[in-house]
Amino acid sequence: MRLARTVGFVVVLACAILLIANYLVENTYGLNLKEYVRYSADYTSEEKDYLKSHGRLIYGTDASSPPLSYIDPRSGQYKGIVIDYVNSLSVELGIEIEFVPSVWSDALLKLKEGETDLCDISVSPERAETYSFAHPIYRLRGAILSRRDAGPIQTLAGLRGKRIILTKGDYAEDFLHDAGVKATFVHADSQAESIALLLAGKGDAVVGDEPVLLYYLNQEQAHGQLSLSDRTLYEQDVVLATRKGNDRLVSIINKGILHLKKADIINRLQQKWMGVTSPIEEGSNQRRALIWTMASIVLLAAVAFLFQTVHQRMKEEIAKRTEEIAYRKLELEKILENIPYMIFILDHARKILNANFSLEKYLGTAREKLKEHSIAEFPELAFLTENDAMVEGVFRDGESREAQIPFRDSILRVALYPVEDKDQVVNIIVTVKDVTKEKEDESKLILENKMAAIGELATGMAHEIRNPLGLIRSYSYLIRNAQPQGAAAQPESIASYLTVIDNSIERANTIISNLLNFSRLSGDERDTFSLHALGTELFALGRKTYEIAGIETALDVPETLLLHSNLESMKHILINLLSNAIDAMPEGGTLRLAATTRGANAFITVSDTGVGISEEHIKSLFLPFFTTKGPNKGTGLGLYIVYNEVQKLGGEISVKTKPGEGTAFTVRLRGVA
């Protein structure tokens, strides 16, 4: 009987705990207990693979909704509560999230068409047909902004028959339609434009998100002219949305959102940007306090019933302390996991004691197998073993060291930090960051500045050199015709010398003309033209040349590809690249012109199967007067002019080559029609 009562009490107590726990979780995190357990779990291997395969996520949202998301006009930076929140989510997921600011209607369209992966939107039945929603991240209130001189508008009834200004694609329009408000709707691209229209008398009221309206109201310094409604027009969940059917990404995002809710990120961001926890905080502090009180009572009863002996109390205390230690360890591991570069710890024997996920990924070996292995066992860590003097120096004097080390095809920034115990260096923390891209960008900027300066200098020099060339040409003519009538002809040697002088003058003039033409090769006029037709025309013009050189041509450009760009510039770019490809195949080969598209970008590639380019010449390819051709076979200006024409069109040019196998130049241009 006593056992039955005990079991019954335990069952009732367990049910009460579950009910209270479920109620507490729902009020704190907006999830039931089952969802909370599901999304509290670590990311599955499939989810991790999904994030790895994507590399980065693209986040599109409004560029003019402060303090939620906006571009700061002073710094040009993308800021706001939502931006900070998504950055926190990026750290939590361990994946780069790229921001694409735009007007609100375009942000929704880009998400629908798959140009972006995520966007923050309010939930509505209409949107649920197009998008899949993650869990809410905050709540937004709607408000009415109206002119004081026309009488403040406080309610839905006051909006009937009015001219209501709305941001295109805003949830407020769906709400007003569902509420049956009959009015004239005036659309704007942003809330700033909406308020400007209101002040200009183009409408009677602006309906939108209360924090945004309040922000612009303060910025506009228009308190005397405008009035913000005191009553809440609507209150709606804001969620992270993705394309319909992308359930795996939704599951991943939900886990990240729950982790951020546990860290109370949204309230911290509200306090940072608005100094308050409303209007986008969910729940009630009093209700939570009551729930916690009830939970505490039940838990105390459970403790009184379950922990009847000292032994049981000791076991619970030990379990609690163990859990705390495990949690702290998990926190530290989470920090290490989210750092995008390699971090690991070495002892005096150069053995790896611990490492983050980046090192595991770099070595392709599970971290558990890395521990207690020397760095000398991994060829991928040769950059450290070859610089063991750095490591030994840190152990010896306890001072940090940092160096940039070229390794294979990369440049690594390696930093070493001592870990001390009782004034002795016991371990070393090693951080390794790949800075190759940073160095390439730095070199590219230096090259662009250098080429701009050379271009200006060369143009000035060209004019100066032409004057003495003119004098040389004139005096050559006078010498050639200087003998009196009837006199013996000039010696054959003098005539040949004069011919060499004239030919040299012509060659110098050609170089100077190329330099001068470079600065005026094309204007800013842009036309829409078929890249396939242009390639066909260029191949037809050079058909005889290709036949003589034993070169086969291949045109791999979609006939439907239309490019909106400067046609003359494109001709000049392709003619120079095709000419270089011919010179690179003295024994014949295949010359290919191909093009692909990605969004609004076109990638145009001219490739050959020729001799290739040596590595030592790659960095000098686009410099003026640099050429690997023989005497009298090139001015060295072709690729210099190509590079600058591509820059004028706002594009980029890159080269891939392998000696003995061929070369491919790829031009990226934005302007797919």
Side-chain angles (χ1 to χ4, degrees):
M1 193 68 178
R2 179 179 297 178
L3 178 60
R5 285 198 302 267
T6 301
V7 172
F9 179 81
V10 170
V11 171
V12 172
L13 184 61
C15 291
I17 292 174
L18 287 174
L19 288 173
I20 292 175
N22 187 70
Y23 190 56
L24 177 63
V25 168
E26 283 186 337
N27 280 271
T28 304
Y29 301 111
L31 308 172
N32 60 42
L33 194 57
K34 181 179 179 181
E35 292 174 324
Y36 177 83
V37 172
R38 175 187 173 186
Y39 293 115
S40 292
D42 197 6
Y43 303 101
T44 65
S45 58
E46 291 80 8
E47 290 170 341
K48 291 179 180 178
D49 290 341
Y50 179 91
L51 292 175
K52 289 179 189 176
S53 65
H54 277 65
R56 64 175 180 177
L57 298 175
I58 301 176
Y59 193 95
T61 189
D62 197 358
S64 57
S65 292
L68 302 178
S69 60
Y70 68 104
I71 296 177
D72 190 331
R74 292 172 295 182
S75 65
Q77 293 184 339
Y78 202 26
K79 295 182 175 180
I81 298 175
V82 175
I83 305 306
D84 284 355
Y85 184 88
V86 175
N87 279 325
S88 298
L89 184 62
S90 172
V91 173
E92 168 62 33
L93 298 180
I95 187 172
E96 178 187 358
I97 298 181
E98 177 184 347
F99 293 98
V100 179
S102 58
V103 297
W104 177 240
S105 56
D106 287 348
L108 292 178
L109 183 60
K110 288 177 180 177
L111 182 63
K112 179 180 178 181
E113 294 181 351
E115 293 184 33
T116 59
D117 300 301
L118 292 170
C119 182
D120 57 300
I121 64 175
S122 298
V123 177
S124 70
E126 294 82 1
R127 290 175 175 174
E129 295 176 2
T130 307
Y131 309 106
S132 291
F133 302 134
H135 292 148
I137 55 177
Y138 60 89
R139 290 181 71 81
L140 269 184
R141 295 177 183 173
I144 304 171
L145 192 66
S146 55
R147 295 172 59 91
R148 289 184 181 272
D149 56 5
I153 300 174
Q154 296 286 338
T155 63
L156 278 175
L159 292 172
R160 292 189 175 94
K162 303 293 185 181
R163 294 172 299 166
I164 304 174
I165 305 172
L166 299 163
T167 302
K168 293 177 185 175
D170 199 322
Y171 166 80
E173 185 167 355
D174 293 340
F175 170 79
L176 293 174
H177 280 302
D178 293 342
V181 176
K182 298 189 179 300
T184 301
F185 296 106
V186 179
H187 294 97
D189 287 331
S190 65
Q191 288 292 28
E193 182 182 346
S194 298
I195 294 173
L197 291 173
L198 179 62
L199 291 171
K202 304 296 183 181
D204 303 306
V206 174
V207 175
D209 299 329
E210 184 183 69
V212 180
L213 293 178
L214 185 60
Y215 182 93
Y216 276 118
L217 184 62
N218 292 333
Q219 294 295 313
E220 292 289 340
Q221 301 296 319
H223 294 88
Q225 301 177 55
L226 303 178
S227 173
L228 189 67
S229 60
D230 297 326
R231 301 180 185 179
T232 299
L233 191 63
Y234 59 80
E235 190 167 352
Q236 186 69 11
D237 283 332
V238 176
V239 303
L240 294 182
T242 185
R243 294 183 302 282
K244 191 72 175 178
N246 199 349
D247 296 332
R248 177 156 293 173
L249 180 57
V250 170
S251 176
I252 294 170
I253 295 300
N254 280 338
K255 289 184 178 182
I257 290 173
L258 179 56
H259 293 165
L260 294 184
K261 282 187 176 182
K262 290 179 180 180
D264 204 26
I265 293 297
I266 192 66
N267 281 334
R268 295 180 188 176
L269 293 177
Q270 288 171 236
Q271 291 167 0
K272 168 188 171 181
W273 284 94
M274 303 168 64
V276 293
T277 57
S278 62
I280 60 177
E281 183 189 0
E282 300 179 65
S284 166
N285 290 333
Q286 292 181 347
R287 184 171 55 187
R288 291 181 185 178
L290 177 61
I291 294 169
W292 278 111
T293 301
M294 293 171 60
S296 299
I297 293 173
V298 174
L299 289 174
L300 285 173
V303 170
F305 179 80
L306 297 174
F307 300 106
Q308 300 175 5
T309 64
V310 175
H311 175 70
Q312 289 175 318
R313 287 195 296 269
M314 289 178 62
K315 285 179 62 177
E316 179 64 21
E317 186 66 24
I318 291 171
K320 183 180 178 182
R321 298 302 178 192
T322 303
E323 184 180 352
E324 287 180 359
I325 293 171
Y327 180 75
R328 299 303 176 193
K329 181 182 178 182
L330 184 63
E331 277 187 332
L332 180 58
E333 289 178 351
K334 181 65 69 176
I335 293 172
L336 292 175
E337 290 297 331
N338 290 324
I339 295 176
Y341 44 87
M342 292 179 279
I343 299 178
F344 52 99
I345 300 174
L346 296 179
D347 62 10
H348 280 273
R350 311 308 192 254
K351 290 183 178 179
I352 300 173
L353 303 181
N354 207 344
N356 68 345
F357 175 74
S358 295
L359 183 67
E360 175 183 307
K361 181 179 178 182
Y362 175 70
L363 296 178
T365 305
R367 274 171 291 182
E368 293 303 319
K369 295 182 180 179
L370 290 176
K371 293 179 180 179
E372 301 301 324
H373 284 271
S374 170
I375 59 175
E377 299 177 35
F378 301 98
E380 296 86 351
L381 298 178
F383 61 86
L384 200 58
T385 55
E386 292 171 1
N387 292 273
D388 191 65
M390 281 180 61
V391 180
E392 186 59 36
V394 177
F395 276 119
R396 183 180 61 253
D397 54 36
E399 294 183 1
S400 302
R401 282 170 169 74
E402 183 175 328
Q404 289 188 6
I405 302 174
F407 183 65
R408 295 179 179 173
D409 295 328
S410 303
I411 299 175
L412 305 178
R413 181 179 295 149
V414 180
L416 309 176
Y417 305 97
V419 178
E420 297 184 354
D421 182 21
K422 298 179 181 179
D423 298 328
Q424 296 290 326
V425 179
V426 293
N427 296 315
I428 287 180
I429 298 175
V430 182
T431 66
V432 182
K433 183 178 182 182
D434 190 333
V435 295
T436 309
K437 183 66 167 58
E438 296 176 15
K439 292 298 179 182
E440 288 177 352
D441 291 343
E442 182 181 325
S443 299
K444 183 178 178 182
L445 180 60
I446 292 172
L447 176 61
E448 289 177 357
N449 290 335
K450 181 178 180 180
M451 292 180 73
I454 290 175
E456 293 177 7
L457 178 62
T459 303
M461 290 177 61
H463 288 289
E464 293 298 326
I465 293 173
R466 265 195 165 160
N467 292 331
L469 283 178
L471 290 174
I472 295 171
R473 173 179 284 171
S474 298
Y475 281 106
S476 173
Y477 175 80
L478 292 174
I479 292 171
R480 191 184 295 275
N481 298 279
Q483 69 269 28
Q485 231 177 8
Q490 291 177 339
E492 184 179 342
S493 60
I494 293 178
S496 65
Y497 298 158
L498 291 173
T499 299
V500 171
I501 290 172
D502 290 342
N503 290 340
S504 298
I505 291 171
E506 287 302 320
R507 178 168 171 76
N509 256 324
T510 300
I511 294 173
I512 293 169
S513 296
N514 284 338
L515 280 174
L516 293 177
N517 288 336
F518 154 65
S519 62
R520 55 176 182 270
L521 275 172
S522 60
D524 295 329
E525 301 83 6
R526 290 178 181 256
D527 301 305
T528 300
F529 57 88
S530 167
L531 192 60
H532 184 276
L534 177 58
T536 302
E537 177 186 347
L538 293 178
F539 276 163
L541 289 173
R543 181 175 57 81
K544 195 65 178 177
T545 302
Y546 303 141
E547 290 177 356
I548 294 173
I551 294 173
E552 296 182 359
T553 60
L555 182 63
D556 188 12
V557 178
E559 294 185 15
T560 57
L561 175 55
L562 298 179
L563 199 61
H564 186 71
S565 188
N566 187 296
L567 178 58
E568 292 305 315
S569 284
M570 184 54 60
K571 285 181 180 179
H572 205 85
I573 290 168
L574 292 180
I575 288 171
N576 274 282
L577 292 178
L578 292 172
S579 176
N580 279 353
I582 293 171
D583 292 339
M585 295 185 287
E587 304 298 327
T590 300
L591 173 59
R592 180 180 297 274
L593 173 60
T596 59
T597 61
R598 191 180 308 149
N601 291 308
F603 296 85
I604 306 162
T605 301
V606 176
S607 61
D608 62 66
T609 57
V611 297
I613 304 170
S614 65
E615 186 176 350
E616 61 182 300
H617 292 151
I618 291 294
K619 293 183 179 179
S620 304
L621 278 182
F622 300 109
L623 293 177
F625 306 113
F626 176 81
T627 179
T628 58
K629 301 175 184 177
N632 300 321
K633 289 188 178 180
T635 63
L637 292 174
L639 286 179
Y640 173 60
I641 294 173
V642 167
Y643 180 88
N644 282 277
E645 282 301 291
V646 172
Q647 292 292 305
K648 286 181 184 178
L649 296 178
E652 295 177 351
I653 184 168
S654 60
V655 59
K656 289 185 178 179
T657 184
K658 193 168 185 180
E661 295 186 11
T663 302
F665 286 89
T666 299
V667 176
R668 182 194 65 78
L669 292 178
R670 186 174 180 84
V672 175

